[in-house]
Amino acid sequence: MRRDAFYHAANKVLQIATVTRRPTCVILIDIDHFKNVNDTLGHDGGDDALKTVAAILKNSFRKEEIFGRLGGDEFAIVLPNIALDDAYWVAERARVAVSNATSASSSGQKMKLSVSIGLVEYHIAQ
């Protein structure tokens, strides 16, 4: 999802979590050293790296989870009905999947990718 669609969908999920009092977590993901990716592979290679990471992340989460690109090299995922301990393992699985991937430019030049991940649990106000 684009940023605006992501925020709209995420707000709905958080409203539902507030009413149902179900756990919800949010993951923020940033591609490490993305400027270096663009400098090494060119902007087309950087676009390919973004597509590679987006595809890996999209396949790392359930359909009911809200996945979007916030901009640049930043992505976010809202995980409804999952507590922090379980969300940690979901985030770790996605991190490892990206680390195991290789991005290539149209010229065939390859680069290993990695991501930094932040995870927070949404706490419902009393």
Side-chain angles (χ1 to χ4, degrees):
M1 289 184 188
R2 290 186 338 259
R3 182 185 184 113
D4 55 343
F6 171 80
Y7 282 130
H8 182 72
N11 281 327
K12 282 186 178 183
V13 169
L14 295 177
Q15 288 172 352
I16 291 168
T18 299
V19 171
T20 62
R21 306 191 80 65
R22 301 283 304 154
T24 299
C25 290
V26 178
I27 297 173
L28 296 176
I29 299 175
D30 187 80
I31 300 174
D32 295 332
H33 314 291
F34 189 67
K35 182 182 181 322
N36 187 41
V37 173
N38 274 331
D39 291 347
T40 302
L41 301 179
H43 289 285
D44 288 343
D47 288 347
D48 291 337
L50 284 170
K51 290 174 189 174
T52 297
V53 171
I56 291 167
L57 294 176
K58 185 176 179 183
N59 291 322
S60 296
F61 301 101
R62 303 173 298 178
K63 282 191 256 182
E64 62 267 19
E65 294 165 340
I66 309 299
F67 171 64
R69 181 175 172 207
L70 298 183
D73 62 335
E74 299 168 343
F75 300 88
I77 301 94
V78 177
L79 308 168
N81 301 316
I82 188 168
L84 190 61
D85 289 343
D86 292 329
Y88 171 83
W89 293 109
V90 171
E92 178 62 8
R93 184 180 68 232
R95 186 196 65 76
V96 168
V98 171
S99 293
N100 289 337
T102 301
S103 184
S105 69
S106 56
S107 66
Q109 195 174 13
K110 295 182 180 181
M111 176 173 268
K112 293 297 280 178
L113 300 171
S114 64
V115 292
S116 295
I117 298 179
L119 172 64
V120 64
E121 184 174 26
Y122 173 66
H123 289 280
I124 298 136
Q126 299 296 330

